[in-house]
Amino acid sequence: GRLSSTGIVNAAINNTGTIDTANEINGNLSNSGVVNASGKITGAVGNTGTGAINTTGALTIAGTLTNSSSNMAGVSIEATESLSATSITNDTGSFIVNAGTLSSTSPIDNHGRLSNTGIVNAAINNTGTLDTSNEITGTLSNSGVVNASGKITGGVGNTGSGAINTTGALTISGTLTNSSSNIAGVSIEAAESL
């Protein structure tokens, strides 16, 4: 069914339908349906199955966000909108799409695909695929694949068999350390820059 709330829900929620929330949920949220959310969720949030979480404004998650949904827009932050959590994990085969502002107190663990055309206010540990064309305001530790332009304000470490590919002009404000065994560990294409 559909649960629409502009008030306060004092309960945990297991959602397989649709939730529209614009105020507060005081409890954990387990989702395999659709959540359209702004306001605050005070517990942990798990997105599973083919679940989709869409921001409709500023969304604050006081707990952890774990995305293991196979939906290609499993967690979606639109331009001018935001999502913040204490920690964020994007599992293998899962997708986070950020066109607004994505923030995490702890480093984001990305094992799936994280696409960023907005701002990420967090460090990132990447073992999956990271596509970024705007800004990451934190360090980046990579042993997966990074396709990047824009700006990274922290240090960047490329390890294991990691690959960092420029997709335009990329500025790293910190130190780039490449210890990857990949024969194209750091690749700057023609007409692009790092």
Side-chain angles (χ1 to χ4, degrees):
R2 188 165 205 135
L3 170 61
S4 297
S5 174
T6 56
I8 298 173
V9 176
N10 286 317
I13 301 177
N14 295 320
N15 180 56
T16 59
T18 300
I19 294 176
D20 303 304
T21 178
N23 195 334
E24 189 168 351
I25 297 172
N26 284 320
N28 296 332
L29 172 60
S30 177
N31 177 60
S32 58
V34 176
V35 174
N36 303 307
S38 60
K40 186 176 183 180
I41 301 171
T42 63
V45 175
N47 193 40
T48 63
T50 57
I53 297 174
N54 309 305
T55 60
T56 57
L59 174 61
T60 299
I61 299 170
T64 60
L65 169 61
T66 303
N67 180 41
S68 57
S69 169
S70 60
N71 191 315
M72 291 187 69
V75 177
S76 179
I77 303 101
E78 297 296 327
T80 76
E81 299 175 358
S82 64
L83 186 154
S84 63
T86 57
S87 70
I88 298 172
T89 300
N90 192 40
D91 286 336
T92 302
S94 299
F95 302 83
I96 295 176
V97 181
N98 176 52
T101 302
L102 178 64
S103 303
S104 177
T105 306
S106 303
I108 296 172
D109 289 319
N110 181 51
H111 310 293
R113 188 164 207 134
L114 171 57
S115 298
N116 174 53
T117 57
I119 298 172
V120 175
N121 286 321
I124 300 176
N125 296 322
N126 181 59
T127 62
T129 300
L130 170 64
D131 303 308
T132 181
S133 60
N134 196 337
E135 187 170 359
I136 297 169
T137 64
T139 59
L140 171 61
S141 176
N142 178 60
S143 58
V145 176
V146 175
N147 303 306
S149 60
K151 186 175 182 180
I152 301 171
T153 63
V156 175
N158 195 39
T159 63
S161 58
I164 297 174
N165 310 304
T166 60
T167 56
L170 174 61
T171 300
I172 298 171
S173 298
T175 302
L176 169 61
T177 303
N178 180 40
S179 58
S180 170
S181 61
N182 193 317
I183 60 172
V186 177
S187 178
I188 304 100
E189 298 295 326
E192 298 174 359
S193 63
L194 188 152

